[in-house]
Amino acid sequence: MAVYALTGFSLVSLLSFGYLSWDWMKPSLVADVATDPMEKSLPPTFTRPPHIIFILTDDQGYHDVGYHGSDIQTPTLDRLAAEGVKLENYYIQPICTPSRSQLITGRYQIHTGLQHSIIRPRQPNCLPLDQVTLPQKLQEAGYSTHMVGKWHLGFYKKECLPTRRGFDTFLGSLTGNVDYYTYDNCDGPDVCGYDLHEGEDVAWDQSGKYSTFLYAQRVSKILASHSPKEPIFIYVAFQAVHTPLQSPKEYIYRYRSMGNVARRKYAAMVTCMDEAVKNITWALKKYGYYDNSVIVFSTDNGGQTFSGGSNWPLRGRKGTYWEGGVRGIGFVHSPLIKRKRRTSWALVHITDWYPTLVSLARGNLSNVQGLDGYDVWPAISEGKESPRTEILHNIDPLYNHAKYGSLEDGFGIWNTAVQASIRVGEWKLLTGDPGYSDWIPPQTLTNFPGSWWNLERLTDGLRKSVWLFNITADPYERYDLSEQRPDVVRSLLMRLVHYNRTAIPVRYPAENPRAHPDFNGGAWGPWATEDEGEEWEGGRESLKSRNKKKKKKCKICKLRSFFRKLNTRLMSNRI
């Protein structure tokens, strides 16, 4: 009883102290910066296709940028956003692979078969090969295309690799998370391997270099070796600020007063990433690209609160369909924007970058069918109304069904046990289990008691499977209106039914033992040949003899991996 009383006190205290009454339109956080009227009246014109730099950060929380009132220092992001257009009605997906797949294809997860979870390292799965990707369309338009950073869209066959999906060059990792210095990734006990690749080769020689710095340096090198007279597209997918929480010492020292250790390390990583963006911007100016460039900044999903991230004052966290999981940090910075230095409330989704950027590049979209994204450049550059009026956050038929959901609760047209979420206009509907549902303030206290919040969650939605919010009036999702507005609930359920009819089967194959790094010289990489396909999803028995042969050849792998790790750690001064 004492614990539950304390739980109630924690929430009531936060409400009484005003934590949940943060003004969504507070001028100091999201208002427009004063604009020079001459700057608006003399917009630049496109004389040639612009250079496009797309920067994607990993697990950066909505609150974790200076202009959202954060205690983390991000001077570069703050300045770029202030001089460009802040996107304050911008949506992404709640986890890694889904956001990246929708950026690259311009399609919802239900239309690529990736609507469940992420692509695991040992799964014979990747972005469907029949999809024409964003970099491929830009190549058609005459662009040089480069990727630096985290792929996480599958690699079991060489056809799945970035260099086979539209990128001229690639430096980065193929899996979901790696050590920032050693580039090792473990997908379970004793299933560890090296994951840093240059093109289609393993980049052993880069081990020991902090990835945030390494990736920024590679972008500068690409710009230095390319001509600004020729259009270029660079996709910079930082692994920062995903776990593991690692940063050079000097950045952690800045936050030594933070009592929460995870928050301190996380803050250091964000600031380090901010400095990397500064170096990229500087290189654009130094090598003559900046005046004809478009910089897009986006997060990939909400912050992971138990790893230092904060989505305050939004509800939820990474992996959930509450606003804290799907509302992202986003802005566009470019000398080519007609109406700069402002905040846009136009509805924008990560799928919109595909048609928007291809159109900016003067590419051809007429032969691309079934896009879910819209060209939102007029809304961003000129302040026009967004062509987007709704967003399908997702329909995941494989996710654990909610205990109290039913077809009856869905008016006989939708099983509310299924995890799904959609926004139409100002309304947002969630069904099934949307995920962890609390409001978590910034973790500024030492050992912030997350268990209080877990207990609070048990009192909310324990017997529910449907939620409805007016997300415009209630962006923090405090007031569930599902019982007051059954007409709206039914209308949005019909939209889910409509989308579900267009969904393709889920692609989530069983893991394959052939993917073990020991069979690939100690590194993660493709294991299936070009003529091998989906049959590898369940062919474990047929592979036993081949695996035994490879194990004999790879007895030295673990020893070699041990000495490589030891050497790297001796060379790197890290925390």
Side-chain angles (χ1 to χ4, degrees), residues 243-299:
T243 53
L245 299 179
Q246 298 171 304
S247 172
K249 287 182 178 179
E250 59 269 26
Y251 292 91
I252 295 179
Y253 185 75
R254 301 184 192 184
Y255 297 100
R256 59 192 180 279
S257 62
M258 281 189 177
N260 185 288
V261 176
R263 180 70 173 171
R264 185 190 313 159
K265 293 181 178 180
Y266 175 92
M269 295 166 71
V270 173
T271 297
C272 186
M273 176 272 296
D274 180 85
E275 188 169 303
V277 174
K278 176 182 177 181
N279 293 338
I280 291 172
T281 307
W282 179 82
L284 287 170
K285 294 179 178 180
K286 177 181 179 181
Y287 298 115
Y289 296 86
Y290 178 78
D291 290 340
N292 188 41
S293 69
V294 174
I295 301 173
V296 180
F297 181 90
S298 171
T299 49

Side-chain angles (χ1 to χ4, degrees), residues 147-284:
M147 181 181 172
V148 180
K150 172 178 168 178
W151 176 237
H152 207 184
L153 289 174
F155 58 88
Y156 80 106
K157 294 196 296 185
K158 285 190 174 181
E159 293 94 325
C160 302
L161 297 176
T163 47
R164 306 289 180 101
R165 304 312 304 271
F167 290 104
D168 296 327
T169 69
F170 169 68
L171 173 68
S173 60
L174 299 174
T175 61
N177 66 295
V178 299
D179 186 284
Y180 281 74
Y181 291 92
T182 67
Y183 299 97
D184 289 319
N185 176 31
C186 293
D187 187 44
D190 301 319
V191 188
C192 302
Y194 185 82
D195 183 17
L196 184 66
H197 294 75
E198 174 88 56
E200 299 182 6
D201 299 320
V202 181
W204 299 104
D205 60 319
Q206 301 293 344
S207 179
K209 301 175 182 178
Y210 188 66
S211 73
T212 303
F213 292 155
L214 176 66
Y215 294 156
Q217 291 166 0
R218 174 51 59 95
V219 174
S220 296
K221 184 177 180 181
I222 291 171
L223 293 172
S225 61
H226 187 79
S227 170
K229 295 180 180 179
E230 301 297 328
I232 190 170
F233 169 59
I234 307 180
Y235 171 36
V236 189
F238 286 113
Q239 88 175 82
V241 286
H242 197 291
T243 53
L245 299 179
Q246 298 171 304
S247 172
K249 287 182 178 179
E250 59 269 26
Y251 292 91
I252 295 179
Y253 185 75
R254 301 184 192 184
Y255 297 100
R256 59 192 180 279
S257 62
M258 281 189 177
N260 185 288
V261 176
R263 180 70 173 171
R264 185 190 313 159
K265 293 181 178 180
Y266 175 92
M269 295 166 71
V270 173
T271 297
C272 186
M273 176 272 296
D274 180 85
E275 188 169 303
V277 174
K278 176 182 177 181
N279 293 338
I280 291 172
T281 307
W282 179 82
L284 287 170

Side-chain angles (χ1 to χ4, degrees), residues 93-95 98 109-110 114-117 317-322 326 392-403 405-406 414-422 429-436 457 465-467 493 496 500 506:
Q93 296 306 114
I95 49 179
Q109 296 163 253
I110 63 166
L114 300 175
Q115 55 267 59
H116 179 68
S117 191
R317 65 188 183 197
K318 173 184 177 178
T320 76
Y321 288 95
W322 304 105
V326 297
L392 175 68
H393 292 302
N394 195 25
I395 300 171
D396 186 348
L398 298 190
Y399 193 81
N400 296 332
H401 282 200
K403 184 177 181 180
S406 68
W414 183 262
N415 183 356
T416 63
V418 175
Q419 186 191 64
S421 181
I422 188 171
L429 179 78
L430 304 99
T431 70
D433 179 4
Y436 188 91
R457 186 194 176 200
S465 62
V466 178
W467 293 260
L493 288 176
L496 286 178
N500 199 44
V506 179

Side-chain angles (χ1 to χ4, degrees), residues 97 109-120 123-131 153-154 156-157 160 165 396-398 504-510 533-534 537:
T97 296
Q109 296 163 253
I110 63 166
H111 296 147
T112 59
L114 300 175
Q115 55 267 59
H116 179 68
S117 191
I118 59 173
I119 295 178
R120 305 294 309 177
Q123 283 183 315
N125 195 12
C126 71
L127 190 72
L129 299 177
D130 61 351
Q131 296 289 330
L153 289 174
Y156 80 106
K157 294 196 296 185
C160 302
R165 304 312 304 271
D396 186 348
L398 298 190
I504 68 173
V506 179
R507 299 165 57 93
Y508 198 74
E534 299 297 325
E537 294 180 11

